[in-house]
Short mmCIF file of all heavy atoms in Angstrom, two decimals:
data_model
loop_
_atom_site.label_atom_id
_atom_site.label_comp_id
_atom_site.label_asym_id
_atom_site.label_seq_id
_atom_site.Cartn_x
_atom_site.Cartn_y
_atom_site.Cartn_z
N ARG S 85 9.84 3.94 -0.42
CA ARG S 85 11.02 4.57 -1.02
C ARG S 85 12.12 4.68 0.04
O ARG S 85 11.88 5.21 1.13
CB ARG S 85 10.66 5.95 -1.57
CG ARG S 85 11.82 6.79 -2.02
CD ARG S 85 12.39 6.32 -3.35
NE ARG S 85 11.50 6.57 -4.46
CZ ARG S 85 11.83 6.40 -5.74
NH1 ARG S 85 13.05 5.99 -6.05
NH2 ARG S 85 10.95 6.61 -6.71
N ASP S 86 13.30 4.18 -0.27
CA ASP S 86 14.49 4.38 0.56
C ASP S 86 14.29 4.02 2.03
O ASP S 86 14.62 4.81 2.92
CB ASP S 86 14.98 5.83 0.43
CG ASP S 86 15.36 6.19 -1.00
OD1 ASP S 86 15.79 5.29 -1.74
OD2 ASP S 86 15.22 7.37 -1.37
N GLY S 87 13.73 2.86 2.27
CA GLY S 87 13.59 2.39 3.64
C GLY S 87 12.44 2.97 4.41
O GLY S 87 12.36 2.82 5.63
N LYS S 88 11.53 3.62 3.72
CA LYS S 88 10.38 4.23 4.39
C LYS S 88 9.08 3.82 3.71
O LYS S 88 9.02 3.65 2.49
CB LYS S 88 10.50 5.76 4.39
CG LYS S 88 11.67 6.30 5.20
CD LYS S 88 11.68 7.82 5.17
CE LYS S 88 12.79 8.38 6.06
NZ LYS S 88 14.14 8.03 5.56
N LEU S 89 8.05 3.68 4.55
CA LEU S 89 6.69 3.41 4.08
C LEU S 89 5.85 4.65 4.31
O LEU S 89 5.77 5.15 5.43
CB LEU S 89 6.09 2.22 4.84
CG LEU S 89 4.62 1.89 4.55
CD1 LEU S 89 4.44 1.40 3.12
CD2 LEU S 89 4.11 0.83 5.53
N TYR S 90 5.24 5.16 3.25
CA TYR S 90 4.39 6.35 3.31
C TYR S 90 2.94 5.89 3.24
O TYR S 90 2.55 5.19 2.31
CB TYR S 90 4.70 7.29 2.15
CG TYR S 90 6.11 7.83 2.15
CD1 TYR S 90 7.18 7.06 1.69
CD2 TYR S 90 6.39 9.12 2.61
CE1 TYR S 90 8.48 7.55 1.69
CE2 TYR S 90 7.69 9.62 2.61
CZ TYR S 90 8.72 8.83 2.15
OH TYR S 90 10.01 9.32 2.15
N ILE S 91 2.13 6.32 4.21
CA ILE S 91 0.75 5.87 4.34
C ILE S 91 -0.18 7.08 4.36
O ILE S 91 -0.06 7.95 5.23
CB ILE S 91 0.55 5.06 5.63
CG1 ILE S 91 1.57 3.93 5.73
CG2 ILE S 91 -0.88 4.53 5.73
CD1 ILE S 91 1.68 3.32 7.11
N CYS S 92 -1.11 7.14 3.43
CA CYS S 92 -2.15 8.18 3.46
C CYS S 92 -3.24 7.73 4.41
O CYS S 92 -3.90 6.72 4.18
CB CYS S 92 -2.73 8.41 2.07
SG CYS S 92 -1.74 9.47 1.02
N ASP S 93 -3.44 8.49 5.47
CA ASP S 93 -4.44 8.16 6.48
C ASP S 93 -5.48 9.28 6.51
O ASP S 93 -5.18 10.41 6.89
CB ASP S 93 -3.78 8.00 7.85
CG ASP S 93 -4.64 7.21 8.82
OD1 ASP S 93 -5.88 7.23 8.66
OD2 ASP S 93 -4.08 6.59 9.74
N SER S 94 -6.71 8.95 6.13
CA SER S 94 -7.73 9.98 5.94
C SER S 94 -8.26 10.55 7.24
O SER S 94 -8.71 11.70 7.28
CB SER S 94 -8.89 9.43 5.11
OG SER S 94 -9.46 8.29 5.73
N VAL S 95 -8.23 9.79 8.33
CA VAL S 95 -8.81 10.28 9.59
C VAL S 95 -7.98 11.41 10.20
O VAL S 95 -8.50 12.48 10.50
CB VAL S 95 -9.03 9.13 10.58
CG1 VAL S 95 -9.45 9.67 11.94
CG2 VAL S 95 -10.10 8.17 10.05
N PRO S 96 -6.66 11.23 10.39
CA PRO S 96 -5.89 12.36 10.88
C PRO S 96 -5.52 13.36 9.79
O PRO S 96 -4.88 14.38 10.06
CB PRO S 96 -4.63 11.70 11.45
CG PRO S 96 -4.47 10.47 10.65
CD PRO S 96 -5.87 9.99 10.35
N ALA S 97 -5.93 13.05 8.53
CA ALA S 97 -5.59 13.91 7.39
C ALA S 97 -4.09 14.15 7.33
O ALA S 97 -3.60 15.28 7.34
CB ALA S 97 -6.35 15.23 7.44
N ALA S 98 -3.36 13.05 7.26
CA ALA S 98 -1.90 13.14 7.29
C ALA S 98 -1.30 11.99 6.50
O ALA S 98 -1.97 11.00 6.18
CB ALA S 98 -1.40 13.10 8.72
N VAL S 99 -0.03 12.15 6.17
CA VAL S 99 0.77 11.05 5.65
C VAL S 99 1.65 10.56 6.79
O VAL S 99 2.40 11.35 7.38
CB VAL S 99 1.63 11.50 4.46
CG1 VAL S 99 2.57 10.38 4.02
CG2 VAL S 99 0.76 11.94 3.29
N GLU S 100 1.52 9.29 7.12
CA GLU S 100 2.33 8.68 8.18
C GLU S 100 3.55 8.05 7.53
O GLU S 100 3.43 7.30 6.56
CB GLU S 100 1.50 7.65 8.94
CG GLU S 100 0.34 8.30 9.69
CD GLU S 100 -0.87 7.41 9.85
OE1 GLU S 100 -0.92 6.33 9.22
OE2 GLU S 100 -1.80 7.81 10.58
N ILE S 101 4.72 8.37 8.05
CA ILE S 101 5.97 7.90 7.46
C ILE S 101 6.66 6.98 8.45
O ILE S 101 7.08 7.40 9.52
CB ILE S 101 6.89 9.09 7.10
CG1 ILE S 101 6.15 10.08 6.19
CG2 ILE S 101 8.16 8.58 6.42
CD1 ILE S 101 6.92 11.35 5.90
N LEU S 102 6.74 5.71 8.08
CA LEU S 102 7.35 4.69 8.94
C LEU S 102 8.76 4.39 8.43
O LEU S 102 8.93 3.96 7.28
CB LEU S 102 6.51 3.43 8.95
CG LEU S 102 7.04 2.25 9.77
CD1 LEU S 102 7.14 2.62 11.24
CD2 LEU S 102 6.14 1.03 9.58
N ASP S 103 9.75 4.64 9.27
CA ASP S 103 11.15 4.34 8.94
C ASP S 103 11.44 2.91 9.36
O ASP S 103 11.46 2.59 10.55
CB ASP S 103 12.06 5.33 9.67
CG ASP S 103 13.51 5.21 9.23
OD1 ASP S 103 14.00 4.07 9.11
OD2 ASP S 103 14.16 6.26 9.03
N PHE S 104 11.65 2.02 8.39
CA PHE S 104 11.85 0.61 8.69
C PHE S 104 13.08 0.38 9.55
O PHE S 104 13.07 -0.43 10.47
CB PHE S 104 11.97 -0.20 7.40
CG PHE S 104 10.69 -0.37 6.64
CD1 PHE S 104 10.69 -0.38 5.25
CD2 PHE S 104 9.48 -0.53 7.29
CE1 PHE S 104 9.52 -0.55 4.54
CE2 PHE S 104 8.30 -0.69 6.59
CZ PHE S 104 8.32 -0.70 5.21
N SER S 105 14.18 1.03 9.22
CA SER S 105 15.43 0.75 9.92
C SER S 105 15.38 1.18 11.38
O SER S 105 15.98 0.55 12.25
CB SER S 105 16.61 1.44 9.22
OG SER S 105 16.44 2.85 9.24
N LYS S 106 14.64 2.25 11.67
CA LYS S 106 14.55 2.76 13.04
C LYS S 106 13.32 2.24 13.77
O LYS S 106 13.24 2.35 15.00
CB LYS S 106 14.53 4.29 13.03
CG LYS S 106 15.80 4.91 12.46
CD LYS S 106 15.68 6.44 12.42
CE LYS S 106 16.93 7.07 11.83
NZ LYS S 106 16.81 8.55 11.75
N GLY S 107 12.35 1.71 13.02
CA GLY S 107 11.11 1.28 13.64
C GLY S 107 10.33 2.44 14.21
O GLY S 107 9.59 2.30 15.18
N LYS S 108 10.48 3.62 13.60
CA LYS S 108 9.86 4.84 14.10
C LYS S 108 8.85 5.40 13.10
O LYS S 108 9.06 5.36 11.89
CB LYS S 108 10.92 5.91 14.39
CG LYS S 108 11.90 5.54 15.50
CD LYS S 108 11.19 5.45 16.85
CE LYS S 108 12.17 5.19 17.97
NZ LYS S 108 11.47 5.08 19.28
N LEU S 109 7.78 5.95 13.66
CA LEU S 109 6.72 6.53 12.84
C LEU S 109 6.61 8.02 13.14
O LEU S 109 6.74 8.45 14.28
CB LEU S 109 5.37 5.86 13.16
CG LEU S 109 4.13 6.43 12.46
CD1 LEU S 109 4.08 5.95 11.02
CD2 LEU S 109 2.86 6.01 13.21
N ARG S 110 6.38 8.81 12.10
CA ARG S 110 6.06 10.21 12.32
C ARG S 110 4.92 10.63 11.41
O ARG S 110 4.75 10.08 10.31
CB ARG S 110 7.28 11.11 12.11
CG ARG S 110 7.75 11.28 10.68
CD ARG S 110 8.97 12.18 10.64
NE ARG S 110 9.45 12.44 9.30
CZ ARG S 110 9.02 13.46 8.55
NH1 ARG S 110 8.10 14.29 9.02
NH2 ARG S 110 9.49 13.64 7.33
N TYR S 111 4.14 11.59 11.90
CA TYR S 111 3.01 12.10 11.15
C TYR S 111 3.45 13.35 10.40
O TYR S 111 4.11 14.22 10.95
CB TYR S 111 1.86 12.47 12.09
CG TYR S 111 1.07 11.29 12.58
CD1 TYR S 111 1.58 10.43 13.54
CD2 TYR S 111 -0.19 11.03 12.07
CE1 TYR S 111 0.87 9.34 14.00
CE2 TYR S 111 -0.92 9.94 12.52
CZ TYR S 111 -0.38 9.11 13.48
OH TYR S 111 -1.10 8.03 13.92
N PHE S 112 3.06 13.41 9.13
CA PHE S 112 3.32 14.61 8.34
C PHE S 112 1.99 15.13 7.82
O PHE S 112 1.32 14.48 7.02
CB PHE S 112 4.26 14.29 7.18
CG PHE S 112 4.34 15.39 6.16
CD1 PHE S 112 4.87 16.63 6.49
CD2 PHE S 112 3.86 15.20 4.88
CE1 PHE S 112 4.92 17.65 5.57
CE2 PHE S 112 3.91 16.21 3.94
CZ PHE S 112 4.45 17.44 4.29
N GLY S 113 1.56 16.28 8.33
CA GLY S 113 0.27 16.82 7.92
C GLY S 113 0.33 18.21 7.33
O GLY S 113 -0.61 18.67 6.72
N SER S 114 1.44 18.91 7.53
CA SER S 114 1.61 20.28 7.06
C SER S 114 0.53 21.18 7.66
O SER S 114 -0.33 20.75 8.43
CB SER S 114 1.59 20.36 5.53
OG SER S 114 2.08 21.61 5.09
N SER S 115 0.58 22.45 7.32
CA SER S 115 -0.39 23.41 7.83
C SER S 115 -0.48 24.58 6.87
O SER S 115 0.24 24.64 5.87
CB SER S 115 0.04 23.91 9.23
OG SER S 115 1.31 24.53 9.16
N GLY S 116 -1.36 25.50 7.18
CA GLY S 116 -1.52 26.67 6.33
C GLY S 116 -1.94 26.30 4.93
O GLY S 116 -2.83 25.46 4.72
N GLU S 117 -1.28 26.87 3.94
CA GLU S 117 -1.65 26.63 2.54
C GLU S 117 -1.45 25.17 2.14
O GLU S 117 -2.14 24.66 1.27
CB GLU S 117 -0.80 27.53 1.64
CG GLU S 117 -1.25 27.53 0.19
CD GLU S 117 -0.40 28.43 -0.67
OE1 GLU S 117 0.49 29.11 -0.13
OE2 GLU S 117 -0.64 28.48 -1.89
N GLY S 118 -0.53 24.49 2.79
CA GLY S 118 -0.25 23.11 2.45
C GLY S 118 -1.00 22.08 3.27
O GLY S 118 -0.73 20.88 3.17
N ARG S 119 -1.98 22.52 4.04
CA ARG S 119 -2.73 21.61 4.91
C ARG S 119 -3.55 20.61 4.09
O ARG S 119 -4.26 20.98 3.15
CB ARG S 119 -3.65 22.40 5.82
CG ARG S 119 -4.54 21.55 6.72
CD ARG S 119 -5.31 22.42 7.71
NE ARG S 119 -6.29 21.65 8.45
CZ ARG S 119 -7.57 21.58 8.12
NH1 ARG S 119 -8.03 22.25 7.08
NH2 ARG S 119 -8.40 20.86 8.84
N MET S 120 -3.48 19.34 4.49
CA MET S 120 -4.25 18.30 3.83
C MET S 120 -5.65 18.24 4.42
O MET S 120 -5.85 18.46 5.61
CB MET S 120 -3.57 16.94 4.02
CG MET S 120 -2.17 16.85 3.47
SD MET S 120 -1.43 15.23 3.82
CE MET S 120 0.32 15.62 3.62
N ARG S 121 -6.61 17.93 3.57
CA ARG S 121 -7.99 17.77 4.02
C ARG S 121 -8.43 16.31 3.96
O ARG S 121 -8.99 15.79 4.91
CB ARG S 121 -8.92 18.63 3.14
CG ARG S 121 -8.61 20.12 3.19
CD ARG S 121 -9.11 20.76 4.47
NE ARG S 121 -10.55 20.60 4.61
CZ ARG S 121 -11.45 21.35 3.98
NH1 ARG S 121 -11.08 22.32 3.16
NH2 ARG S 121 -12.74 21.15 4.18
#
Side-chain angles (χ1 to χ4, degrees):
R85 171 76 69 172
D86 299 330
K88 295 182 176 65
L89 175 67
Y90 298 79
I91 307 165
C92 279
D93 200 333
S94 58
V95 172
V99 174
E100 295 150 351
I101 305 174
L102 178 62
D103 188 316
F104 288 144
S105 63
K106 297 177 181 178
K108 295 294 184 181
L109 176 77
R110 71 181 183 89
Y111 282 74
F112 167 65
S114 195
S115 60
E117 189 180 357
R119 177 173 172 264
M120 301 177 200
R121 299 283 301 281

